[in-house]
Amino acid sequence: MRMELDLGGEQPLYQQIRDQVVLAIAAGTLREGDNLPPIRELAAEFGIHFHTVNKAYDLLRQEGFIRLSRKSGAVVHTSRSEADTEAWQHKLRLVLAEAVAKGIARAQVDAAYRAVLAEFEHRSSEDAPPQSGRHA
Amino acid sequence: MRMELDLGGEQPLYQQIRDQVVLAIAAGTLREGDNLPPIRELAAEFGIHFHTVNKAYDLLRQEGFIRLSRKSGAVVHTSRSEADTEAWQHKLRLVLAEAVAKGIARAQVDAAYRAVLAEFEHRSSEDAPPQSGRHA
Amino acid sequence: MRMELDLGGEQPLYQQIRDQVVLAIAAGTLREGDNLPPIRELAAEFGIHFHTVNKAYDLLRQEGFIRLSRKSGAVVHTSRSEADTEAWQHKLRLVLAEAVAKGIARAQVDAAYRAVLAEFEHRSSEDAPPQSGRHA
Amino acid sequence: MRMELDLGGEQPLYQQIRDQVVLAIAAGTLREGDNLPPIRELAAEFGIHFHTVNKAYDLLRQEGFIRLSRKSGAVVHTSRSEADTEAWQHKLRLVLAEAVAKGIARAQVDAAYRAVLAEFEHRSSEDAPPQSGRHA
DNA sequence: GTGGTCTAGACCACT
DNA sequence: GTGGTCTAGACCACT
């Protein structure tokens, strides 16, 4: 799992780590049951405090993306509550509001939407039974 | 313009104000050329300091949603740069990654996407005459 | 003299008026001895308060671009003190510092410099005796 | 990094701080990756409020001269967009218009231009090896 | 009457 | 120890 952190960037490091993990899961680089790097290892790799990584992992746990245990460390284990889905819809609403408010053309929004989902597509194809006829 | 602030919430107040304004523009409650409430008035309404509102308005100005002047106050005046659009796409990517990572079904994501855009749809439909042959 | 003001823009109106007049003088649209529009006329044209125009004209007078008198109104009459020249050099220094700090290539800075001066060139050619050999 | 502020001057303090930092970057006193003084430290040095310094740093961040993070503080990190370059050209145009309008001789303008750039020259000469054949 | 600048200072977030 | 958020409030600039 490739991870790029922008130390000294504007976003808090723990947030960046969280985002990278979420993107990796969506991209299929990290799959259900996979282990995330041990906290101290990841911290060492980037020369950051292990507390920072710990905070990121704890956030991922809270959000229902991973499980933490002393035995197996951090493991991808997604789950979602209704509240999660609602919170997610609220985020989507805000992102789309920005686009609409800025007057980005509907076609361009649609294109961006499809492009991103296509990028993450493989995932459903891996989980789903390999059916035929999937053209385009 | 309805606005709800969650004092003591996780999100900074100025960010909440910013979000509410963006949503209002997208929803068409605030339209190009409309005035936002004066800084001090909005502050009084919510019992917060005018600096907080000022920061929100300044952020909206930076992001290209409004214009500020001592004469006319805060006025909706959207503009966008290429960098804006790129930053927006990155936000969309992250939001969709969350959905995919959580395994929300594609159909449900699509439904949420369409529902939100439908909510903001009127914008174009109000401004444009409801007729065919929309040339220039 | 064409003048465009951005009412509701970020820059103070009096500053915009001042800038437009300076640009007009540099471009040769306004020449030594020419009259600027009467204060109240200009104010009426843009629907702004005559105090605002008055402030702009007074600033232009202070800066040594025009003369004001009850008889003849505002007349282009440039003059400069050593202090003016120093102040100008300081402005130039700051503008160039921005370019250098941002890492704009020297060639590009030079090009912008020459382009702007070329735009204002006619002026010297009008004042100077029409000598031959001025190619490029 | 030498800095001189004119308290009680016409220019806002935060703007003066911003200008001094830009000049320092152009002069090479501050270089890519260098740290600016911590907000509160600089404020104490000049006996002004840290909010004022904060505003200056935030402006420098917006303009693409520095980066801010809680971890590393304020670090010189220049970047520019096309809009930046356009805005810069407009500033240059106005400064040169002043000179032309005042009838400052072209030779004197050229001299001032070259003198300022010479002052900032070292930047490239320090970083690059003083040799011919500078390829990539 | 509008937003802008600045001070003073409490408390928080991130590392 | 760094910057960030927020309140409180004085005084200023522009129109």
Side-chain angles (χ1 to χ4, degrees):
Chain A
M1 180 199 168
R2 290 277 76 214
M3 194 181 293
E4 282 183 35
L5 298 186
D6 179 13
L7 285 81
E10 311 212 343
Q11 275 223 315
L13 286 170
Y14 81 92
Q15 185 72 40
Q16 291 183 46
I17 296 169
R18 178 264 180 206
D19 288 350
Q20 296 283 316
V21 171
V22 171
L23 285 166
I25 298 175
T29 314
L30 281 172
R31 306 174 62 162
E32 194 76 14
D34 283 356
N35 269 275
L36 270 62
I39 289 183
R40 278 173 167 81
E41 191 177 292
L42 191 56
E45 186 180 339
F46 288 103
I48 61 182
H49 201 99
F50 79 92
H51 274 149
T52 307
V53 182
N54 193 49
K55 180 158 187 174
Y57 280 20
D58 195 56
L59 181 58
L60 285 160
R61 183 192 55 71
Q62 278 175 53
E63 294 187 296
F65 290 109
I66 65 173
R67 265 193 172 164
L68 293 172
S69 72
R70 267 166 232 174
K71 270 201 316 200
S72 13
V75 177
V76 176
H77 178 92
T78 60
S79 65
R80 63 180 191 276
S81 63
E82 289 218 358
D84 284 344
T85 309
E86 267 178 49
W88 174 79
Q89 285 174 339
H90 187 254
K91 285 182 197 174
L92 178 67
R93 190 161 169 264
L94 199 53
V95 169
L96 293 179
E98 275 186 47
V100 174
K102 282 269 178 101
I104 298 181
R106 173 66 191 256
Q108 201 177 341
V109 174
D110 282 345
Y113 176 78
R114 279 193 300 262
V116 171
L117 285 183
E119 179 190 353
F120 299 143
E121 190 71 6
H122 64 96
R123 220 178 161 267
S124 40
S125 59
E126 278 173 28
D127 298 338
Q131 52 189 86
S132 61
R134 181 177 303 221
H135 37 263
Chain B
M1 182 196 168
R2 292 275 76 215
M3 196 181 288
E4 281 182 36
L5 297 187
D6 174 16
L7 286 83
E10 288 197 3
Q11 278 222 312
L13 288 170
Y14 77 89
Q15 185 71 40
Q16 292 182 44
I17 296 169
R18 177 265 182 205
D19 288 350
Q20 297 285 317
V21 171
V22 171
L23 285 166
I25 297 174
T29 314
L30 281 173
R31 307 174 65 155
E32 194 78 14
D34 282 356
N35 270 274
L36 271 64
I39 285 182
R40 281 160 170 89
E41 192 180 290
L42 190 57
E45 190 180 333
F46 288 103
I48 62 181
H49 196 81
F50 77 85
H51 268 167
T52 306
V53 180
N54 189 43
K55 183 156 189 177
Y57 280 21
D58 194 57
L59 181 58
L60 286 161
R61 182 191 57 72
Q62 280 174 51
E63 293 186 292
F65 289 111
I66 67 172
R67 278 181 140 191
L68 293 172
S69 74
R70 300 193 225 227
K71 192 186 161 198
S72 349
V75 177
V76 176
H77 180 91
T78 58
S79 65
R80 67 176 188 277
S81 65
E82 289 217 0
D84 284 344
T85 310
E86 269 177 50
W88 174 78
Q89 285 174 339
H90 187 254
K91 285 183 196 173
L92 178 67
R93 186 161 172 265
L94 201 52
V95 169
L96 293 179
E98 276 186 48
V100 175
K102 282 264 179 110
I104 299 181
R106 172 69 190 253
Q108 202 177 341
V109 174
D110 281 346
Y113 176 79
R114 278 194 300 265
V116 172
L117 285 183
E119 179 191 352
F120 300 144
E121 189 71 9
H122 65 97
R123 254 180 81 84
S124 39
S125 58
E126 272 175 33
D127 299 337
Q131 64 189 41
S132 61
R134 176 183 312 208
H135 36 266
Chain C
M1 178 200 170
R2 290 276 77 214
M3 194 181 291
E4 282 183 35
L5 298 186
D6 179 12
L7 285 81
E10 312 211 344
Q11 276 224 312
L13 286 171
Y14 80 93
Q15 185 72 40
Q16 291 184 46
I17 296 170
R18 178 265 181 204
D19 288 351
Q20 296 283 315
V21 170
V22 171
L23 285 166
I25 298 175
T29 314
L30 280 173
R31 306 175 62 161
E32 194 76 15
D34 283 356
N35 270 274
L36 269 63
I39 288 182
R40 278 174 168 80
E41 192 179 290
L42 192 55
E45 188 181 337
F46 288 102
I48 60 182
H49 202 99
F50 79 91
H51 275 149
T52 307
V53 182
N54 193 48
K55 179 158 188 176
Y57 281 19
D58 195 57
L59 180 59
L60 286 161
R61 182 191 56 71
Q62 278 175 52
E63 293 186 296
F65 290 110
I66 66 172
R67 263 192 172 167
L68 293 173
S69 72
R70 267 165 234 175
K71 269 201 318 198
S72 11
V75 177
V76 175
H77 176 92
T78 59
S79 65
R80 63 178 191 278
S81 64
E82 289 216 358
D84 284 344
T85 310
E86 267 178 49
W88 174 77
Q89 284 173 340
H90 186 256
K91 284 182 198 174
L92 178 67
R93 189 162 170 264
L94 198 54
V95 169
L96 294 178
E98 274 185 48
V100 174
K102 281 269 178 101
I104 299 182
R106 172 66 190 255
Q108 202 177 341
V109 175
D110 281 345
Y113 176 77
R114 278 194 300 265
V116 172
L117 285 183
E119 179 192 352
F120 299 143
E121 190 71 7
H122 66 96
R123 220 179 161 266
S124 39
S125 59
E126 278 172 28
D127 299 338
Q131 49 189 88
S132 62
R134 179 178 301 221
H135 37 263
Chain D
M1 181 197 168
R2 292 274 75 215
M3 197 182 288
E4 282 182 36
L5 297 187
D6 175 17
L7 286 83
E10 289 198 2
Q11 278 223 313
L13 288 171
Y14 78 90
Q15 185 72 40
Q16 293 183 46
I17 296 169
R18 177 264 180 207
D19 288 349
Q20 298 283 318
V21 171
V22 172
L23 285 166
I25 297 175
T29 313
L30 281 172
R31 306 176 64 157
E32 193 77 14
D34 283 356
N35 269 275
L36 271 64
I39 284 181
R40 281 160 170 89
E41 192 179 290
L42 190 58
E45 191 180 332
F46 288 104
I48 61 181
H49 195 82
F50 77 86
H51 266 168
T52 307
V53 180
N54 189 44
K55 183 157 187 175
Y57 280 21
D58 194 58
L59 181 58
L60 286 161
R61 181 190 58 71
Q62 279 174 52
E63 292 187 295
F65 290 110
I66 68 172
R67 277 181 143 192
L68 293 172
S69 74
R70 300 193 226 225
K71 191 187 163 196
S72 350
V75 177
V76 176
H77 180 94
T78 59
S79 65
R80 67 176 189 280
S81 65
E82 289 217 0
D84 285 344
T85 310
E86 269 177 49
W88 174 78
Q89 285 173 339
H90 187 255
K91 285 182 196 174
L92 178 67
R93 187 161 173 265
L94 201 53
V95 169
L96 293 178
E98 276 186 47
V100 174
K102 282 265 179 112
I104 299 181
R106 172 66 190 253
Q108 201 177 340
V109 175
D110 281 345
Y113 177 78
R114 279 194 299 264
V116 172
L117 284 184
E119 179 191 351
F120 299 144
E121 191 70 7
H122 65 96
R123 254 180 80 83
S124 38
S125 58
E126 273 175 30
D127 298 338
Q131 65 188 42
S132 61
R134 174 184 310 211
H135 36 265

